[in-house]
Amino acid sequence: MLDNKWENASRPTDESGKQYHIQCGVGDVARYCLLPGDPKRVGKIAEMWDSANLVADYREHVTYTGKIGDMDISACSTGAGGGSTASAIEDLAEIGCDTLIRVGTCGTIQNNIKPGDLIISSGAVRMEGTSDGYVLNSYPATANYEVTMALIEAAEILGYTYHVGIGYTASSFFCGQGRPGYKGYSQSFMKSIIPDMQAAGVLNIEMEAATVLTISSLYKLRAGAIFTVVANRVDNSFKYDKSSTDQNIEVANLAMQILHKWDKLKEESGKKFFYPSLLK
């Protein structure tokens, strides 16, 4: 519960240094952090770790920190959409997180991708609006190459069907994704969203990736995104299956372990960037 101990309107923290939105301070979270949207998914993520502790539960932000082997890891829910996602990233970066993986669900707009498949985002079309408050829209929303490679390797190890490519981050679930609104409300531009993005080779539509990727690039953080497909907008199919929606969590957890291993190799070799020859 917030009280009058909160100060500094430009960057609110309490007297112990806890951040305003996620209610966490330095030492509460690891440098490696998974970002689901749904607060209830944080506990599911933490169940797959060797140990886990609830750190904070405030508004849409539930945070756990724990261990997988010798790696410290955290998960913090962002809520739905760009605004709350940006607030979580700001707070997490302030207290030491530098490697972020967005873990969520999406709809695909390509015929060859089915519900249950995974999509690893190499970048995103910035139509969510939030990232425009940080930089001109011509600035690209790109995933960090190390995080993308780690997600690919993890998906290969686990044997899950996955696709890699550009996604579309929308401003809303209905009209912003080309769906009609209440009582069929629509504007002409909404009808062109899906065909235009299909022609551009975009794989999926969701609501957070561009915010995560853009802000992380600006702040020199590493970020990536992985989604479970629950809908195909081409054939209008929808399937939310618990076992398949857990697959992206498994991949993200393993990807963080891979990044942890690569980070140790970089440190031992005195290299700033990972490249495959470091594994020899």
Side-chain angles (χ1 to χ4, degrees):
M1 182 72 66
L2 297 183
D3 56 32
N4 60 7
K5 295 178 182 177
W6 293 78
E7 300 176 349
N8 186 3
S10 63
R11 200 90 193 182
T13 59
D14 71 5
E15 60 186 9
S16 68
K18 290 188 182 299
Q19 300 297 305
Y20 179 76
H21 296 96
I22 65 172
Q23 298 276 286
C24 297
V26 174
D28 287 335
V29 296
R31 65 177 296 198
Y32 306 97
C33 188
L34 274 56
L35 302 175
D38 184 356
K40 293 181 180 178
R41 294 198 82 204
V42 183
K44 173 63 69 175
I45 292 170
E47 284 176 5
M48 299 183 185
W49 303 343
D50 295 330
S51 63
N53 294 294
L54 175 65
V55 176
D57 183 345
Y58 183 68
R59 296 183 178 179
E60 63 269 62
H61 305 297
V62 173
T63 305
Y64 275 75
T65 293
K67 279 187 172 291
I68 303 176
D70 66 344
M71 177 184 67
D72 295 319
I73 187 168
S74 295
C76 176
S77 56
T78 64
S84 59
T85 298
S87 297
I89 295 170
E90 290 278 2
D91 286 1
L92 289 165
E94 191 73 24
I95 57 177
C97 289
D98 65 15
T99 301
L100 307 167
I101 296 179
R102 164 77 181 127
V103 183
T105 56
C106 71
T108 183
I109 59 174
Q110 297 297 337
N111 215 15
N112 65 310
I113 302 175
K114 307 301 179 186
D117 289 2
L118 301 178
I119 292 177
I120 297 168
S121 296
S122 57
V125 180
R126 291 174 49 200
M127 291 298 290
E128 90 294 5
T130 300
S131 61
D132 290 351
Y134 284 80
V135 68
L136 292 176
N137 194 264
S138 54
Y139 183 92
T142 56
N144 175 269
Y145 81 97
E146 292 182 353
V147 179
T148 302
M149 285 197 303
L151 286 166
I152 291 170
E153 181 163 328
E156 285 284 346
I157 290 170
L158 293 170
Y160 295 143
T161 300
Y162 69 93
H163 310 266
V164 182
I166 303 295
Y168 179 99
T169 304
S171 59
S172 65
F173 186 79
F174 290 100
C175 294
Q177 298 187 28
R179 294 182 173 99
Y182 176 59
K183 292 185 177 181
Y185 172 81
S186 183
Q187 294 274 310
S188 59
F189 76 90
M190 299 173 194
K191 296 177 175 64
S192 67
I193 292 173
I194 289 180
D196 284 353
M197 292 302 100
Q198 287 172 324
V202 169
L203 301 187
N204 64 309
I205 300 181
E206 47 72 49
M207 293 171 57
E208 293 84 21
T211 301
V212 174
L213 301 181
T214 302
I215 295 176
S216 294
S217 292
L218 292 170
Y219 291 175
K220 295 180 172 54
L221 312 174
R222 294 185 301 185
I226 183 167
F227 299 94
T228 298
V229 177
V230 297
N232 185 300
R233 298 291 300 279
V234 181
D235 61 21
N236 203 32
S237 59
F238 187 94
K239 183 181 179 183
Y240 192 97
D241 179 75
K242 180 178 179 297
S243 60
S244 63
T245 54
D246 285 351
Q247 289 179 359
N248 61 358
I249 297 175
E250 294 177 54
V251 172
N253 275 326
L254 181 54
M256 285 300 201
Q257 295 173 71
I258 292 168
L259 286 164
H260 178 59
K261 174 185 174 182
W262 291 351
D263 288 342
K264 289 194 289 186
L265 284 173
K266 291 189 294 183
E267 184 178 355
E268 291 166 1
S269 60
K271 301 297 183 182
K272 186 176 181 180
F273 302 103
F274 173 78
Y275 51 93
S277 296
L278 285 179
L279 297 171
K280 295 179 179 178

